[in-house]
Amino acid sequence: MDAPELEGIEVDVFVQALQKRHGYDFSQYAPASLKRRVRQLASQFQCKTISHLTERMLHEPELLPRVLEGLTVPASDMFRDPAVFRTLRENILPLLASYPHINIWQAGCAHGQEVYSLAILLEEAGLYERTQIFATDLSDRALQHASEGIYPVKDAQQWSRNYQASGGGQSLADYCSAGYNLIKLNQRLRRNVTFAMHNLATDGVFCEAHLILCRNVLIYFSNSLQDRALSLFRDSLVRSGFLCLGLRENLELASTARDFAPFIEPMRIYRVASHVETLSA
Amino acid sequence: MMTPAAIAIGCSAGGVDALQVLLGGLAPGLRQAVLVCCHSRSETTEIFRRVLERVSALPIAEAVERDVAHPGVVHVAPSGYHLLVESDLHFALSADPRVNYARPSIDVLFNSAAEAWGDRLIGVVLTGANADGAAGLRRIRQFGGTAVVQSPADAEAAAMPQAALDVAGADYCVPLLDIAPLLNRLCLP
């Protein structure tokens, strides 16, 4: 048997063991990236093989939070793709402003960079007081990190440029404090954020949202899991609610895609299609 | 050797000029999927694709996630994402951290392409100023694929092809002008 085939078996066994031992289902993740992340975990835990990683994961339950973080958290930036945030600022928030109360679901919030970006947009639009942001992730450690809002200061310069390019009228420095090579986002920004565990692979609808942001999360999913997540988004959105995906996501293979109408296609912003029955008006 | 099914090309500094020479020399009848990973600071691949379109007989397209690697098409990795190939030859994108300071990273593309195509893959490392692609090229060779490296002396930036030679070695180490004719010879029946 050749090496990739053997490693394929090891990854399958790891995924099965993770599910049976801890109840987390990664069987519907796209294999190439999953395999890469499992390999990285093995090396992070100094395991010579993925089988060794599986053994440790089974017998050392305290490793689970780091395993889940390693399997799920991508890199992100504040105001990543500034044009998208500019569009949210200029085209979407004014439409949301007509609601007396606004719910926003950030699905797969990872380390929270976009949660704070969103909170800043809402502050500057004067909408934050009547907005609730639900920031969810399946990784406990990611949620912890996100709620702390502490990031390396080396990222701040780029983020500041992103903020300006998104149409920000102030300075990003106004929203954070710096020290010890770190920046910390002003904790007032999270006063209307609820951080919660939620797994797009297994959990259901939990809120009624006017806008869902889920950028660069579905790219890690198989076609069928992508479809499941999109159904969940459709069922969570109010009538004519908005969905914002990553700039390079492809919906063509998902049957649920027909329940979303492109609203600002180049920014991957969709709206629940008019034929779809949703939670409420 | 089996007829190759795909060619994966990696480059960095000086890469846009080198790619124009290489792609400009590929035969119009080539049936291999061509994958290009070129480090760049720009946010889209649009200008890059237009430049290549002017010289290439094969169509140029940005690689689309979940889409298949089409024979006879040059697929360019999108900016800001790693490009991977699944074992069923569909593309996947990843927003994972930079590898060798780069995203897209040549190593990430080469590693997954090596597993997907095995001995039916040709990996090509061109000019560049860092070592990305070297480990990936070694992986391509481990899986029976063919390694082509631009002669460092001939490259605008020698570091990348030199690192590839040091880490992976090569089946062919030739000047840029000779790479397209070599690929045509290896690929056409």
Side-chain angles (χ1 to χ4, degrees), chain A residues 111-274:
Chain A
H111 287 165
Q113 293 92 334
E114 291 203 351
V115 178
Y116 292 99
S117 309
L118 197 56
I120 290 171
L121 285 192
L122 290 158
E123 283 277 30
E124 295 184 355
L127 295 174
Y128 195 37
E129 292 314 327
R130 54 186 161 113
T131 301
Q132 175 71 49
I133 300 175
F134 298 98
T136 65
D137 204 280
L138 68 77
S139 160
D140 219 359
R141 276 173 65 96
L143 288 168
Q144 182 64 37
H145 195 143
S147 68
E148 286 166 2
I150 296 174
Y151 307 101
V153 75
K154 68 175 169 54
D155 292 336
Q157 211 173 13
Q158 178 63 45
W159 295 2
S160 192
R161 280 196 298 270
N162 288 354
Y163 165 77
Q164 300 294 342
S166 80
Q170 307 187 48
S171 155
L172 192 58
D174 298 340
Y175 295 102
C176 55
S177 49
Y180 304 109
N181 298 321
L182 296 168
I183 59 165
K184 182 170 172 62
L185 271 295
N186 186 337
Q187 290 300 280
R188 262 182 62 74
L189 287 173
R190 36 164 286 202
R191 65 190 183 279
N192 292 339
V193 182
T194 303
F195 292 96
M197 298 252 269
H198 184 279
N199 187 343
L200 291 170
T202 45
D203 293 336
V205 174
F206 73 96
C207 74
E208 186 176 294
H210 301 87
L211 165 66
I212 295 175
L213 267 97
C214 184
R215 303 199 326 125
N216 300 325
V217 175
L218 307 186
I219 54 174
Y220 295 100
F221 292 179
S222 69
N223 295 343
S224 63
L225 186 53
Q226 180 197 39
D227 207 31
R228 181 193 196 274
L230 288 171
S231 310
L232 195 55
F233 295 157
R234 176 200 60 206
D235 297 342
S236 302
L237 283 166
V238 301
R239 187 178 302 159
S240 304
F242 295 98
L243 171 66
C244 179
L245 299 174
L247 283 180
R248 291 292 177 273
E249 303 201 32
N250 175 11
L251 297 189
E252 272 173 24
L253 298 166
S255 57
T256 319
R258 61 171 173 262
D259 294 339
F260 292 94
F263 186 67
I264 302 178
E265 174 88 60
M267 299 295 134
R268 292 296 191 275
I269 296 174
Y270 302 84
R271 209 167 195 186
V272 178
S274 52

Side-chain angles (χ1 to χ4, degrees), chain B residues 56 64 84 166:
Chain B
S56 171
V64 175
L84 298 94
D166 294 346

Side-chain angles (χ1 to χ4, degrees), chain A residues 35-83:
Chain A
K35 195 187 268 188
R36 230 189 121 238
R37 286 170 159 186
V38 174
R39 234 183 248 143
Q40 280 174 344
L41 271 178
S43 115
Q44 183 190 329
F45 289 120
Q46 278 136 30
C47 296
K48 281 209 177 85
T49 61
I50 291 167
S51 307
H52 186 205
L53 175 70
T54 305
E55 189 191 332
R56 291 195 58 192
M57 183 267 293
L58 286 170
H59 295 287
E60 300 170 49
E62 67 277 12
L63 295 186
L64 180 66
R66 282 161 70 199
V67 168
L68 293 178
E69 187 180 40
L71 290 180
T72 55
V73 176
S76 190
D77 297 303
M78 285 191 75
F79 299 95
R80 182 177 185 192
D81 307 319

Side-chain angles (χ1 to χ4, degrees), chain B residues 115-142:
Chain B
E115 290 179 32
W117 277 295
D119 62 2
R120 302 192 65 196
L121 177 68
I122 301 174
V124 183
V125 174
L126 303 176
T127 170
N130 78 1
D132 194 22
L137 194 68
R138 184 176 57 197
R139 193 131 176 108
I140 288 175
R141 297 193 86 192
Q142 281 166 352

Side-chain angles (χ1 to χ4, degrees), chain B:
Chain B
M1 191 183 82
M2 300 265 287
T3 311
I7 302 168
I9 304 169
C11 57
S12 183
V16 180
D17 291 341
L19 279 170
Q20 290 181 72
V21 174
L22 195 165
L23 295 179
L26 289 182
L30 222 62
R31 298 301 296 152
Q32 282 67 20
V34 181
L35 283 53
V36 172
C37 177
C38 179
H39 299 164
S40 138
R41 280 178 204 284
S42 79
E43 280 172 20
T44 75
T45 60
E46 201 187 330
I47 295 166
F48 179 58
R49 277 181 284 143
R50 270 199 233 138
V51 168
L52 299 183
E53 256 162 18
R54 287 206 311 252
V55 295
S56 171
L58 305 174
I60 313 277
E62 187 174 282
V64 175
E65 71 138 1
R66 299 175 199 277
D67 198 2
V68 74
H70 297 284
V73 175
V74 179
H75 299 275
V76 175
S79 313
Y81 294 85
H82 295 302
L83 174 64
L84 298 94
V85 185
E86 299 284 1
S87 55
D88 63 4
L89 309 185
H90 286 71
F91 290 124
L93 299 180
S94 145
D96 281 5
R98 291 161 182 274
V99 173
N100 306 316
Y101 311 101
R103 191 175 60 197
S105 147
I106 302 164
D107 277 345
V108 172
L109 173 64
F110 280 11
N111 283 338
S112 64
E115 290 179 32
W117 277 295
D119 62 2
R120 302 192 65 196
L121 177 68
I122 301 174
V124 183
V125 174
L126 303 176
T127 170
N130 78 1
D132 194 22
L137 194 68
R138 184 176 57 197
R139 193 131 176 108
I140 288 175
R141 297 193 86 192
Q142 281 166 352
F143 283 90
T146 305
V148 178
V149 176
Q150 180 179 6
S151 319
D154 175 66
E156 188 176 322
M160 189 178 275
Q162 189 59 54
L165 289 177
D166 294 346
V167 172
D171 299 287
Y172 304 91
C173 177
V174 295
L176 179 62
L177 276 173
D178 296 341
I179 293 181
L182 169 68
L183 293 175
N184 291 335
R185 207 170 67 236
L186 293 172
C187 290
L188 292 172

